Amino acid sequence: MIQTAEEMLTAIKKNRWAGVILYEGPSHIDGAPIVVIANRIIAPSTNDKTGAMVQTFIIRSDVNPYRALKTGQDESVCGDCPQRPFKGGKCYVDVAKSVASVYGAYERGRYARPGIDYDPAILPDLFAGLAFRLGTYGDPAAAPFQIWRAATLKTRKITGYSHQWRDPRFQAFSLLCMASCETESDQLLASACGWRTFRAKKAAETKAATEIGCPAAKENGARTSCDRCGLCAGNSSASARDIVINLHGFRVGKAA
């Protein structure tokens, strides 16, 4: 069993592992079996907006993610997100490619298992000084809060978003995650519930009084990237402002 973060980083560099499993167990949304996987721990960025960040995937452990998306079984990891295709939404994640690839690697045993392949006590040091993305796919609230807290204790920056802000069971996630909001009324309600918010709006819509534009967004000059910004870190951020971004890509047409 790997006992130190240095050993794990060496193992990843040598391609012994593609990443680590943070959690395997019941979804805290509906009880179905899920797995939380962290990868791209040492990989350079391929995304100009986000920059280099540890990526995390919350997926069903017993169902191919694309099948789960088509059948509605993705509720276990996405909860009541209105962008779920099963509910008529348009998720921005290319589940058939990126998430399915992660699931395939999981089935092949490419991710180190906590308590079996590595000591989970190394997680704070493994991610120390890195930028960390809670929920590249899936809602962080599907997994225990303590898992995320341990993983992010020593990180340099984090980003996280959750649609579960209406459910008081998940209030602890307001420390690490933004409340994902689709409307200004949602933004006001989430704020009243003690969350900082992240909202995607139409370009012609105005910002709410508490909102500032995402500094990594094109409409704001793409002045920074997520791995350097750190505003979308819930209540752990030094900023009390809420974040808004213009709808972009396919979601522009969807909103229209």
Side-chain angles (χ1 to χ4, degrees):
M1 181 189 293
I2 291 176
Q3 299 285 348
T4 68
E6 290 76 14
E7 288 180 78
M8 178 58 75
L9 290 172
T10 298
I12 293 172
K13 289 175 183 177
K14 292 183 176 180
N15 202 33
R16 177 181 173 188
W17 304 111
V20 298
I21 293 172
L22 301 181
Y23 173 75
E24 277 185 292
S27 164
H28 282 208
I29 294 174
D30 68 359
I34 67 168
V35 60
V36 179
I37 294 165
N39 65 13
R40 300 195 71 80
I41 298 169
I42 60 172
S45 172
T46 58
N47 186 316
D48 290 339
K49 182 180 182 297
T50 65
M53 304 189 78
V54 176
Q55 305 294 322
T56 60
F57 296 80
I58 306 116
I59 55 179
R60 286 283 295 255
S61 59
D62 61 337
V63 182
N64 181 285
Y66 188 65
R67 175 174 174 77
L69 178 147
K70 289 294 186 181
T71 61
Q73 291 170 290
D74 61 339
E75 181 178 2
S76 306
V77 297
C78 297
D80 57 1
C81 175
Q83 299 304 328
R84 290 172 55 211
F86 194 76
K87 297 181 69 174
K90 185 72 172 177
C91 179
Y92 71 91
V93 181
D94 190 349
V95 175
K97 292 184 179 179
S98 62
V99 188
S101 176
V102 171
Y103 181 74
Y106 167 69
E107 286 192 308
R108 296 192 303 274
R110 293 284 292 128
Y111 298 107
R113 299 160 295 174
I116 299 173
D117 300 312
Y118 77 93
D119 183 348
I122 73 172
L123 289 177
D125 289 328
L126 181 63
F127 303 123
L130 302 179
F132 188 100
R133 186 175 181 182
L134 288 78
T136 306
Y137 176 74
D139 196 302
F145 175 78
Q146 294 83 355
I147 298 297
W148 301 109
R149 188 63 177 140
T152 58
L153 276 175
K154 298 182 180 181
T155 52
R156 176 172 53 82
K157 300 288 184 182
I158 64 170
T159 63
Y161 310 90
S162 177
H163 273 99
Q164 309 314 307
W165 53 267
R166 291 181 176 84
D167 191 327
R169 293 180 300 163
F170 303 119
Q171 184 66 31
F173 282 87
S174 64
L175 177 67
L176 303 177
C177 298
M178 310 293 283
S180 290
C181 298
E182 275 68 44
T183 65
E184 191 170 347
S185 60
D186 276 355
Q187 187 267 330
L188 292 170
L189 181 57
S191 294
C193 291
W195 292 70
R196 291 180 60 234
T197 66
F198 183 92
R199 181 171 68 97
K201 69 174 185 65
K202 295 178 184 179
E205 291 180 320
T206 59
K207 296 191 293 285
T210 61
E211 292 177 329
I212 59 172
C214 168
K218 289 183 179 179
E219 67 265 21
N220 297 313
R223 303 189 305 275
T224 187
S225 54
C226 298
D227 67 323
R228 291 183 289 142
C229 175
L231 284 177
C232 289
N235 289 324
S236 65
S237 169
S239 173
R241 302 298 295 273
D242 299 317
I243 309 300
V244 66
I245 191 171
N246 286 349
L247 287 161
H248 47 282
F250 61 77
R251 292 187 67 183
V252 176
K254 188 70 179 177

